[in-house]
Amino acid sequence: MSKHINFIVCIIFTAICCVSLMYAPQPLTPTLSEYFKIPLHSASLIVSASLIPLAIAPIVYGYFLEKFDAKFIIISSLFACSILQFSQNLSTTFSMFLLFRMIQSLFFPAILTSLLTLITRQSKENTQRNVSLYVSATIAGGLVGRVLGSFLAEMFSWHVSLTFFGILTGICGIWFFFIQSDSKHNIQTPSIKDFIPFLSQKKFLIIFGGIFFMFFSFQAVLSILPFAFKFEGIPHSDFEIGLLYTGYFMGIIVSLFSSRIIIIFGSRINAIVAGFFVFAISIFCMRTLDFNMIFWLMFLFCTGSFVIHTTFSGLINNISDKKGITNGIYLAFYYAGGVFGSYLPSFYYVSFGWKTLTLTLSTLLILGAILLLSCRKIYGNN
């Protein structure tokens, strides 16, 4: 295996393991709720509270990635995540579990931002392809973490499930010791002023706002759905709920063929707008809470959301030269959407129910698509 291939494979495998560890608890929230004897709102914190550092830290890591060695950041963060996972699984109270989870989450953005920055520095001509590989890996991680995690929890226990992914994360840290990046990057010391263009220009703010609302809606559906089945539909086991995430396979396909999708729609903006409409329609149709129907709708749901994510990622890396800072801000908005989306809708759901929640989310997404379409000229031929 050549040095370049080994480097890419290591990045992909590490991204899969990192995201698996992040999202493995999501389909297990009803089980964790019963184990720790906590209500719905507190159970929602398992995902949302752990995403709070992810919404802040990428900006900081984006800053340091322009100054320090990404490999060192990745290795130290991977080992920290692994150790904290073992500590988390020994928790006897929910507060202790949540504390370890939040500390662990400080290292997730270090890993993901570093991986994305490394892979986009490989070749400017292949930015979209490299971003697609990275996004495919994160999608696969979301699938593996939720489906395999729920399976292991069903077969053994949630402790075994989360420990398994903690071990894999440690293995990734060892692997990176033997990796030599073939990326030639001139290290620079950025200043606060370097952030201003990305937070003041309309073309960047639209992207950041769009990815925020996409992931807000994405996490809202995935976080509330297990409880919606429990309280309004027919209850299902952890593994059955985990099977709903099989639709993630569409995300992998979308990411790998993102360049062709862009060609079909004529531009990145057109592809993103189409993704918003598909995403919105799939959420609206989920209001029936029919398990078999939602299983198939998840394929449409993931197709729309990952068309948006993959194309937005490629677009912002294509229009920016400071990729460390850009990716940091992008991921900050992305995960900020996840923080609010995995927690706030739980209050809305309790007050108004699943049907009203899906109607509201789909309406917001359609409005977002219309806004983006009206601003397409500022992106030129992208």
Side-chain angles (χ1 to χ4, degrees):
M1 184 182 294
S2 69
K3 183 179 73 171
H4 175 73
I5 294 177
N6 187 41
F7 174 74
I8 296 296
V9 172
C10 182
I11 285 181
I12 292 173
F13 185 73
T14 301
I16 291 173
C17 293
C18 178
V19 178
S20 294
L21 186 59
M22 284 172 55
Y23 291 119
Q26 191 164 52
L28 307 180
T29 48
T31 297
L32 291 169
S33 176
E34 293 178 2
Y35 180 87
F36 289 113
K37 296 179 174 58
I38 54 175
L40 168 61
H41 295 152
S42 298
S44 298
L45 288 172
I46 294 173
V47 176
S48 62
S50 64
L51 288 176
I52 292 175
L54 284 161
I56 303 171
I59 297 178
V60 178
Y61 290 124
Y63 177 90
F64 285 109
L65 279 168
E66 298 292 341
K67 186 176 182 180
F68 299 108
D69 181 25
K71 178 180 174 181
F72 170 77
I73 294 175
I74 292 173
I75 292 174
S76 57
S77 298
L78 284 168
F79 283 123
C81 279
S82 184
I83 294 170
L84 285 164
Q85 187 58 56
F86 290 111
S87 301
Q88 186 182 137
N89 290 351
L90 296 175
S91 301
T92 55
T93 65
F94 177 69
S95 297
M96 186 183 298
F97 178 91
L98 193 61
L99 176 62
F100 282 125
R101 179 75 174 169
M102 290 185 69
I103 296 173
Q104 183 185 55
S105 296
L106 290 171
F107 298 97
F108 289 145
I111 299 167
L112 297 176
T113 308
S114 300
L115 293 175
L116 180 57
T117 300
L118 281 179
I119 203 169
T120 54
R121 286 174 179 168
Q122 288 299 297
S123 172
K124 188 172 183 179
E125 293 75 20
N126 295 315
T127 295
Q128 184 64 53
R129 185 198 66 181
N130 290 339
V131 168
S132 296
L133 287 172
Y134 167 82
V135 174
S136 296
T138 61
I139 294 168
L143 172 64
V144 172
R146 291 173 171 107
V147 177
L148 180 58
S150 61
F151 174 74
L152 291 174
E154 188 79 16
M155 292 296 295
F156 305 101
S157 70
W158 67 265
H159 296 84
V160 172
S161 174
L162 300 185
T163 298
F164 173 76
F165 294 112
I167 293 173
L168 287 183
T169 305
I171 292 173
C172 291
I174 297 173
W175 190 353
F176 251 101
F177 268 116
F178 303 97
I179 291 296
Q180 289 185 346
S181 172
D182 53 1
S183 173
K184 303 296 186 295
H185 177 63
N186 296 321
I187 294 180
Q188 303 173 353
T189 303
S191 66
I192 298 299
K193 293 181 179 179
D194 292 327
F195 289 88
I196 296 177
F198 306 110
L199 296 173
S200 60
Q201 294 184 37
K202 187 176 181 180
K203 65 180 180 180
F204 291 112
L205 289 176
I206 290 174
I207 294 175
F208 297 146
I211 201 62
F212 174 93
F213 282 110
M214 186 283 287
F215 204 47
F216 177 95
S217 303
F218 189 86
Q219 285 296 336
V221 171
L222 298 189
S223 296
I224 302 301
L225 190 57
F227 292 98
F229 274 117
K230 181 177 180 179
F231 298 133
E232 296 185 40
I234 300 174
H236 293 275
S237 67
D238 289 338
F239 181 53
E240 287 176 318
I241 295 297
L243 284 177
L244 290 175
Y245 302 103
T246 307
Y248 259 62
F249 277 118
M250 291 306 300
I252 298 173
I253 294 173
V254 165
S255 298
L256 293 177
F257 290 94
S258 61
S259 296
R260 293 188 180 183
I261 292 173
I262 293 169
I263 292 173
I264 291 173
F265 284 99
S267 70
R268 287 186 174 93
I269 299 301
N270 289 344
I272 293 169
V273 169
F276 268 107
F277 277 108
V278 170
F279 190 41
I281 292 170
S282 65
I283 293 176
F284 179 78
C285 293
M286 286 182 182
R287 61 204 313 267
T288 60
L289 275 179
D290 178 87
F291 186 87
N292 292 328
M293 183 177 181
I294 290 182
F295 176 85
W296 294 110
L297 281 172
M298 283 295 291
F299 287 86
L300 195 63
F301 175 86
C302 291
T303 297
S305 61
F306 290 121
V307 164
I308 298 168
H309 182 28
T310 306
T311 314
F312 262 148
S313 297
L315 175 61
I316 201 164
N317 276 282
N318 195 55
I319 63 177
S320 171
D321 293 325
K322 295 185 179 295
K323 301 187 187 304
I325 292 176
T326 306
N327 289 323
I329 299 174
Y330 177 86
L331 289 176
F333 275 86
Y334 179 77
Y335 287 114
V339 170
F340 291 106
S342 57
Y343 184 61
L344 293 182
S346 64
F347 294 95
Y348 194 82
Y349 167 72
V350 170
S351 299
F352 301 104
W354 176 251
K355 290 184 178 180
T356 304
L357 176 63
T358 54
L359 175 61
T360 303
L361 292 175
S362 57
T363 301
L364 288 174
L365 289 167
I366 290 175
L367 291 175
I370 294 172
L371 173 64
L372 181 61
L373 196 59
S374 66
C375 300
R376 59 187 299 176
K377 291 183 180 179
I378 65 176
Y379 297 102
N381 296 323
N382 283 289

